[in-house]
Amino acid sequence: MKLHKFIDHVKIYVLGGDGGNGCTSFRREKYVPLGGPDGGDGGIGGSVILRADADSDSLLKLYYQPHQKAGPGISGKGQQMYGHNGADCLVPVPCGTEVWDFDTNVLLADLLNPGDTLVVAKGGTGGLGNIHFSTSTNRAPREHTDGKPGEARTLRLELKLAADAGLVGYPNAGKSSLLTAISHAHPRIAPYPFTTINPIIGTVIFDDFTKIRVADVPGIIENAHLGIGLGVDFLRHVERAGVLVHIVDMAGSEGRDPVDDFRKIREEIKLYKAELAERPFMVVANKMDLPEAAEHLKSFKRKTRTKPLKMSAMTRDGVPEFLAALRAMIDQNRPAKTYHPQSGKSRSTSDNPPVAPAP
Ligand SMILES: Nc1nc2c(ncn2[C@@H]2O[C@H](COP(=O)(O)OP(=O)(O)OP(=O)(O)O)[C@@H](O)[C@H]2O)c(=O)[nH]1
Ligand SMILES: [Mg+2]
């Protein structure tokens, strides 16, 4: 199996192209005496543009190529020749990429939907050729202006995967098994903890072609907020999800107590971000095919005062009921800012005032 490094935050340097210089030149042609100024303008420098791309799922490319530079404008020439504009540098980023100004720590934009674009470094304007400087008293101007340098910026890109629901739970609870059962995603499944080391998104397609995106994130353990296990950093990928799904190994297969597991996960989520802990959630009692599960479920209901959905990701019993409940819950709790596969809008950092102060 080919392992790809999953990169979800990266620091990049963007540089707009310099504008081309204007030109000082005079028309020289047989039988045309005193032809006058004919130096053209320089071209505008290219801009660096970030564009949300549905086919990209990691910031890996930018991790290896953090310097992104647009092409310079070409200088003007005689015979009123204007320089070409510099080529833009179009940088594809995954949908759900937040763009932060590294120096001011201000959120510039959230490129959520495919086609959303943001101009992050504008190219410099081109200089003026001497044709612009002739006046009634100065018919042979020898002045032109130089192009302006392109904008330079340092940015921090943070990827928060766009999903409607996020699966959370202890390692080995069966999150990846459930994602495999409901979507065409192929996360690795194995009976050892932390099989999943990168978040994975699966798309569930219903009979009426409605789609919901479900994120499977690595397992969380006690004190994950202190960096134990794989930590809690990847919880950023369920931050956009309107609904959290707690997958509990109700059989307590590794001698663990399901009630304890559930409480610890709730606590870790709260310590990561209190706001995430207030998100609507459902509890799924997985591994109900194992004999111990039924007994555990009774005490789980009593102690946690929740109503878990019974399921076995392995035998797939209860999966259709889970999907129906999940869909209803997502519809009820759709956040204002959601992923729309078709939309795409364009903006520039200067058109767009900062969205929010940094946390
Ligand atoms: N008996 C039974 N076993 C299950 C069920 N669901 C998952 N398993 C098994 O539990 C083990 C762990 O499953 P995964 O789906 O990899 O668990 P996970 O929650 O993704 O684990 P991490 O990726 O390590 O966090 C695998 O051996 C699965 O075959 C179930 O409903 N019943
Ligand atoms: Mg897994």
Side-chain angles (χ1 to χ4, degrees):
M1 186 194 211
K2 200 172 168 191
L3 282 178
H4 288 285
K5 199 167 177 171
F6 182 81
I7 299 288
D8 56 8
H9 53 279
V10 71
K11 181 181 174 186
I12 64 166
Y13 310 88
V14 288
L15 184 60
D18 294 343
N21 296 334
C23 166
T24 291
S25 161
F26 294 94
R27 186 176 175 194
R28 301 215 175 269
E29 214 171 297
K30 206 173 180 184
Y31 311 122
V32 186
L34 305 176
D38 72 349
D41 296 352
I44 304 168
S47 301
V48 182
I49 303 167
L50 303 185
R51 185 169 191 274
D53 178 16
D55 296 330
S56 123
D57 59 358
S58 143
L59 296 167
L60 184 70
K61 205 170 160 200
L62 287 171
Y63 176 77
Y64 288 116
Q65 295 176 348
H67 293 267
Q68 296 289 332
K69 192 177 172 190
I74 305 298
S75 295
K77 287 186 182 166
Q79 297 185 345
Q80 299 194 14
M81 286 192 281
Y82 281 49
H84 271 286
N85 292 343
D88 286 338
C89 169
L90 197 63
V91 183
V93 294
C95 294
T97 300
E98 284 183 355
V99 186
W100 295 79
D101 188 306
F102 189 84
D103 301 311
T104 58
N105 214 15
V106 165
L107 178 62
L108 303 174
D110 187 0
L111 303 177
L112 188 57
N113 297 300
D116 284 358
T117 56
L118 178 75
V119 179
V120 282
K122 278 191 173 164
T125 48
L128 297 174
N130 67 340
I131 46 176
H132 297 286
F133 295 94
S134 75
T135 60
S136 55
T137 51
N138 183 5
R139 315 277 295 271
R142 281 166 198 282
E143 56 193 305
H144 66 259
T145 56
D146 287 343
K148 296 267 188 318
E151 229 180 323
R153 260 199 150 131
T154 308
L155 303 172
R156 193 177 85 238
L157 304 188
E158 259 187 51
L159 173 60
K160 289 183 179 173
L161 291 177
D164 301 301
L167 306 181
V168 289
Y170 247 77
N172 274 346
K175 302 177 290 299
S176 304
S177 305
L178 176 59
L179 194 73
T180 309
I182 60 178
S183 73
H184 289 295
H186 296 290
R188 208 145 30 134
I189 297 170
Y192 55 80
F194 302 118
T195 314
T196 305
I197 50 170
N198 295 325
I200 295 162
I201 298 257
T203 305
V204 185
I205 307 174
F206 289 91
D207 291 342
D208 61 355
F209 302 110
T210 308
K211 291 179 185 171
I212 56 174
R213 288 161 58 90
V214 178
D216 170 23
V217 296
I220 304 168
I221 53 174
E222 192 178 6
N223 286 332
H225 69 283
L226 300 176
I228 308 293
L230 291 180
V232 284
D233 255 9
F234 50 77
L235 278 179
R236 78 175 70 189
H237 298 293
V238 297
E239 270 183 48
R240 290 187 199 280
V243 170
L244 296 184
V245 181
H246 282 270
I247 309 291
V248 184
D249 174 352
M250 203 47 79
S253 352
E254 286 151 44
R256 284 201 316 262
D257 174 14
V259 177
D260 231 33
D261 282 6
F262 175 68
R263 285 186 179 149
K264 279 175 188 156
I265 300 286
R266 293 298 305 159
E267 186 59 24
E268 289 301 325
I269 292 177
K270 203 164 148 192
L271 290 170
Y272 169 74
K273 230 172 221 183
E275 185 204 331
L276 193 61
E278 283 159 21
R279 201 66 53 89
F281 68 87
M282 67 160 72
V283 185
V284 170
N286 192 32
K287 305 200 183 180
M288 290 305 292
D289 55 300
L290 297 176
E292 313 85 327
E295 195 57 41
H296 286 160
L297 181 62
K298 276 189 209 155
S299 69
F300 186 92
K301 279 184 184 166
R302 202 179 55 248
K303 289 182 184 161
T304 63
R305 294 169 189 270
T306 57
K307 289 186 186 153
L309 279 173
K310 289 194 274 183
M311 197 189 70
S312 166
M314 201 155 159
T315 63
R316 309 213 165 168
D317 281 337
V319 172
E321 292 80 359
F322 159 72
L323 279 180
L326 180 65
R327 183 177 174 177
M329 198 166 185
I330 288 174
D331 284 344
Q332 261 173 27
N333 298 289
R334 218 169 259 288
K337 219 174 168 191
T338 40
Y339 173 86
H340 296 292
Q342 299 308 327
S343 97
K345 52 184 181 282
S346 179
R347 51 198 161 175
S348 143
T349 49
S350 48
D351 305 339
N352 241 14
V355 180

